[in-house]
Amino acid sequence: MPSKPSAFSNISPRVREILRITHIWIGIVICIPTAILGATGSILVYDQEILSLFSDSAPHVAAVGEQQSPEAIVAAAQAKAPGTRVTVLSLPAKPGELAVVRLQRPGAAPGPGGQQPVRVDPVSLEVLANNAAASPAWLRWTHSLHANMLISRDGRDYVGWLGVIMLALGVSGLVIWWPRPSRWRAAFGVERRAKGLMFHRQLHGAVGIWGLLVFIVVSFSGVYICFPQTTGAVVKTFFPGRELRSMAATVKVKPVEGGAPIGLNAATDLAKKTVPDAIVRSVFMPQRPDQPVRIGMTHGTHSTAQGVPVITVFVDPWRGEVVELLDPSRYTVGETIMSWQRALHAGAGAGWLFRFLVFLSGFMPVVFAITGIAMWLHKRRSKMRTTDAAPAE
């Protein structure tokens, strides 16, 4: 019985050869920046664990007991930094963890650069003495290198386009790798006797096919982070949904003349009544009178990783009522896809195995760079030897 033709068997040899040559040369041209992106991304997947490993002091464990109210935690932080304004309160997801209060320094420009994070024991209200310590310089450098290649203005766009090219290389690599029906088993590994060109070709293909799915997921999510509006529009073409990022920014409230906004405790109590089975994880305080209090919540303690979609409750502080609710359980398919991109890029929210696979996927561009250049050099040397051996006319 004849073998069933492969999915790419109808591609002509000429088209396949053009695709192969294009794949090789584009891969060689961008091999260094993609290897840098991949390696730095792998480091950032476990950045907190790496920090703990090289830290001189043991991590502070919060006292045992009932957690204090949000207002009490904020007051403890502001007592150590008079004159500051609260921007974000991050509450612990489980006992033993600390609360973090971000305070805007007087006269500082809006944004993370003008904020001071203060860690507070949510039970004893002890403010840690080393709050002023910033992240190590090497970690900030790694973050910047991964996010914008140390290019201040256009670096993010550059990284985004590298992600687009990596997606194209992943798809074209699959077409080039696709084996004949009789070679399926061998195509997934490296033969023991393989050497030279054959070894690098088989290693290149095996690493690519085994890690392709995670590689595509991480690359696509990176493109989304760099180009959220464009990528979101593409996703909504196939899976309709709301633009959650812009929607959250457009929620407004109307200040009450002569009135006073409700306190932080009252706002979080409203959120708890709206979603009784969830816990408060973060509170974004309004920086203008027409902004609501934005409260992030999760069901239980399983969704504790940064970037995982949270329930967002918008509270009107002037009228003491909930004006909007964004619940991931009610998202459309398109909204769910877009809301998960940051978490997937960081290896969060899908268990330790997925996180480890994302970590490994960061080294794939490094392997591709080494094996791709090695294959090119082998072929170049072989071609030169053939030319030298040809008899002169």
Side-chain angles (χ1 to χ4, degrees):
M1 184 176 179
S3 301
K4 185 179 180 179
S6 65
F8 302 111
S9 59
N10 293 328
I11 298 178
S12 68
R14 179 177 175 79
V15 172
R16 189 182 294 272
E17 181 63 13
I18 293 174
L19 188 63
R20 186 185 67 82
I21 294 173
T22 304
H23 181 94
I24 290 173
W25 280 107
I26 292 178
I28 290 175
V29 170
I30 68 168
C31 68
I32 293 179
T34 53
I36 291 173
L37 279 181
T40 53
S42 291
I43 293 172
L44 296 178
V45 168
Y46 289 108
D47 58 349
Q48 295 304 312
E49 287 79 0
I50 294 173
L51 277 177
S52 300
L53 184 63
F54 291 99
S55 177
D56 295 331
S57 58
H60 183 93
V61 178
V64 177
E66 184 178 355
Q67 179 175 294
Q68 300 283 346
S69 69
E71 289 182 2
I73 295 172
V74 166
Q78 286 188 299
K80 295 293 183 178
T84 56
R85 184 177 73 252
V86 180
T87 59
V88 184
L89 167 63
S90 298
L91 295 172
K94 55 186 177 182
E97 293 184 346
L98 300 174
V100 178
V101 182
R102 291 193 172 273
L103 302 173
Q104 185 76 22
R105 293 189 291 268
Q115 295 180 8
Q116 174 185 355
V118 178
R119 293 186 296 163
V120 181
D121 186 318
V123 177
S124 67
L125 298 182
E126 175 189 358
V127 178
L128 270 65
N130 61 344
N131 275 308
S135 301
W138 68 266
L139 184 58
R140 296 197 302 272
W141 182 84
T142 303
H143 272 280
S144 182
L145 185 60
H146 185 77
N148 57 31
M149 284 294 191
L150 305 180
I151 305 172
S152 57
R153 290 189 61 185
D154 302 321
R156 196 174 185 85
D157 290 348
Y158 179 55
V159 170
W161 281 111
L162 281 175
V164 173
I165 297 173
M166 290 167 70
L167 281 172
L169 288 176
V171 176
S172 62
L174 175 63
V175 177
I176 296 167
W177 167 88
W178 201 270
R180 297 189 300 273
S182 60
R183 293 285 300 169
W184 270 98
R185 181 175 296 182
F188 284 89
V190 180
E191 297 176 1
R192 290 184 179 181
R193 298 180 181 180
K195 295 181 181 180
L197 174 62
M198 186 59 65
F199 170 79
H200 289 100
R201 178 182 293 170
Q202 291 183 357
L203 180 60
H204 193 96
V207 170
I209 195 60
W210 282 107
L212 181 63
L213 180 59
V214 178
F215 180 81
I216 293 294
V217 168
V218 174
S219 298
F220 179 83
S221 59
V223 173
Y224 174 82
I225 292 171
C226 293
F227 306 129
Q229 293 183 339
T230 303
T231 313
V234 173
V235 172
K236 287 192 294 183
T237 301
F238 302 96
F239 305 101
R242 299 166 295 176
E243 178 53 62
L244 299 175
R245 289 165 55 92
S246 59
M247 179 180 175
T250 56
V251 177
K252 302 293 182 182
V253 297
K254 187 176 182 180
V256 176
E257 186 176 352
I262 62 175
L264 185 55
N265 290 349
T268 54
D269 286 342
L270 277 173
K272 292 176 184 177
K273 291 179 181 178
T274 304
V275 193
D277 57 338
I279 61 172
V280 176
R281 289 292 316 283
S282 61
V283 181
F284 289 79
M285 300 297 295
Q287 303 303 303
R288 298 196 309 266
D290 64 343
Q291 291 180 330
V293 179
R294 184 156 51 97
I295 302 172
M297 310 180 73
T298 58
H299 291 289
T301 60
H302 62 283
S303 298
T304 60
Q306 185 177 6
V308 172
V310 299
I311 303 166
T312 306
V313 181
F314 297 84
V315 175
D316 183 339
W318 301 100
R319 293 169 178 77
E321 61 185 20
V322 174
V323 292
E324 185 63 71
L325 172 66
L326 296 179
D327 189 341
S329 65
R330 303 176 185 176
Y331 287 173
T332 65
V333 173
E335 292 167 356
T336 300
I337 291 173
M338 289 184 284
S339 66
W340 268 95
Q341 294 309 306
R342 287 187 176 274
L344 293 176
H345 193 72
W352 68 267
L353 178 58
F354 177 73
R355 190 184 187 195
F356 183 65
L357 291 176
V358 171
F359 168 77
L360 291 180
S361 72
F363 295 105
M364 290 176 64
V366 179
V367 175
F368 293 154
I370 295 172
T371 55
I373 292 175
M375 285 189 288
W376 177 75
L377 289 174
H378 274 288
K379 290 184 177 182
R380 186 171 182 271
R381 284 195 294 264
S382 177
K383 185 177 181 180
M384 291 176 64
R385 284 195 295 266
T386 301
T387 302
D388 293 341
E393 295 183 0

